[in-house]
Amino acid sequence: DTGVSQNPRHKITKRGQNVTFRCDPISEHNRLYWYRQTLGQGPEFLTYFQNEAQLEKSRLLSDRFSAERPKGSFSTLEIQRTEQGDSAMYLCASSRKVLGKFFAGANVLTFGAGSRLTVL
Amino acid sequence: SQQGEEDPQALSIQEGENATMNCSYKTSINNLQWYRQNSGRGLVHLILIRSNEREKHSGRLRVTLDTSKKSSSLLITASRAADTASYFCAPEEGGSEKLVFGKGTKLTVNP
């Protein structure tokens, strides 16, 4: 297992274009989280999945953002009609919760290296 | 949602010195986690302390938790230049389904 993988690592796009990021979590992890982080700030929660079900979305996640996890494995985060304010690092993390209990006894997240988006 | 606030926002020390970072939070927690982030990278889990613990050690890391004051501290002893990173605390409420991070403490260890 190589940990949480995110692609692409860097994306430069023009305002108005659509972009998609992919996250491959640790294989036995059924929880998958997306965070956004801007310079000098901590990660801001965007959304999370348990298996294929999207259980919570932040109000930060405008209608231009959509996340999917169709088979309960990898996830995609799509941003439509990008704006300069979307420039940020998009972080994916995973954990495992089974029968109502987190595998590590707590919601310990394993993060990917992130996908950096620059909107020109 | 629970959120930890780290203090100081930035800390600069010399290699070999100890670094102490603090975290305050607002409500009851089950546990509190500390994460580290190298520049431009994802976060890495460092250590977890449960609400019924007062102190925990892991290598050069020492974490304390004072639930009466709703605060935690992370001590890195004998710091190295490689410890240069941002450090975030993440208090976890019972039943919390997500971690909420503060702005972190940016630690610089000068060689």
Side-chain angles (χ1 to χ4, degrees), chain B:
Chain B
S1 294
Q2 182 67 278
Q3 179 175 345
E5 292 293 335
E6 297 88 351
D7 173 69
Q9 290 188 7
L11 180 61
S12 181
I13 60 173
Q14 296 299 121
E15 207 164 25
E17 294 180 340
N18 295 341
T20 299
M21 289 157 271
N22 303 298
C23 170
S24 59
Y25 58 92
K26 295 177 181 174
T27 63
S28 297
I29 60 171
N30 277 356
N31 63 72
L32 185 142
Q33 302 178 44
W34 284 90
Y35 287 78
R36 162 189 164 143
Q37 183 179 35
N38 288 82
S39 180
R41 306 288 293 182
L43 280 72
V44 175
H45 179 257
L46 290 177
I47 194 166
L48 177 152
I49 186 165
R50 301 191 188 280
S51 60
N52 61 354
E53 297 175 314
R54 291 298 168 257
E55 186 171 314
K56 199 164 182 179
H57 296 256
S58 177
R60 293 184 296 113
L61 302 180
R62 174 183 165 237
V63 173
T64 63
L65 180 65
D66 187 336
T67 54
S68 66
K69 294 181 179 178
K70 293 185 170 55
S71 67
S72 174
S73 67
L74 172 67
L75 169 68
I76 304 174
T77 59
S79 62
R80 305 165 181 168
D83 294 328
T84 295
S86 291
Y87 292 82
F88 298 89
C89 70
E92 185 178 339
E93 291 179 20
S96 173
E97 302 298 342
K98 62 180 184 284
L99 295 185
V100 180
F101 296 91
K103 294 183 179 181
T105 293
K106 185 173 182 178
L107 173 66
T108 302
V109 181
N110 301 300

Side-chain angles (χ1 to χ4, degrees), chain A:
Chain A
D1 194 346
T2 56
V4 178
S5 177
Q6 291 191 244
N7 288 288
R9 291 293 316 282
H10 303 275
K11 178 72 176 178
I12 300 174
T13 191
K14 293 182 179 179
R15 188 178 54 180
Q17 298 295 306
N18 299 344
V19 296
T20 299
F21 300 112
R22 175 178 169 130
C23 172
D24 288 88
I26 291 174
S27 57
E28 61 266 28
H29 283 188
N30 56 356
R31 283 282 179 108
L32 188 148
Y33 295 78
W34 285 100
Y35 285 82
R36 179 172 66 186
Q37 186 179 26
T38 53
L39 199 62
Q41 301 296 313
E44 293 175 306
F45 169 78
L46 293 179
T47 187
Y48 85 94
F49 294 83
Q50 170 130 345
N51 301 314
E52 65 276 7
Q54 188 174 20
L55 298 186
E56 187 175 343
K57 289 170 56 173
S58 167
R59 284 171 289 179
L60 293 173
L61 214 62
S62 76
D63 292 344
R64 297 184 296 105
F65 288 70
S66 62
E68 294 183 342
R69 195 182 184 199
K71 297 182 179 178
S73 55
F74 73 91
S75 174
T76 57
L77 176 68
E78 181 183 18
I79 308 173
Q80 296 181 327
R81 304 181 303 281
T82 52
E83 302 172 356
Q84 288 184 326
D86 297 331
S87 294
M89 175 79 87
Y90 291 85
L91 295 165
C92 176
S94 68
S95 62
R96 185 179 177 195
K97 188 174 187 180
V98 178
L99 298 177
K101 294 185 178 181
F102 286 106
F103 181 69
N107 194 13
V108 175
L109 299 182
T110 302
F111 280 84
S115 293
R116 181 169 296 283
L117 173 65
T118 301
V119 182
L120 302 175

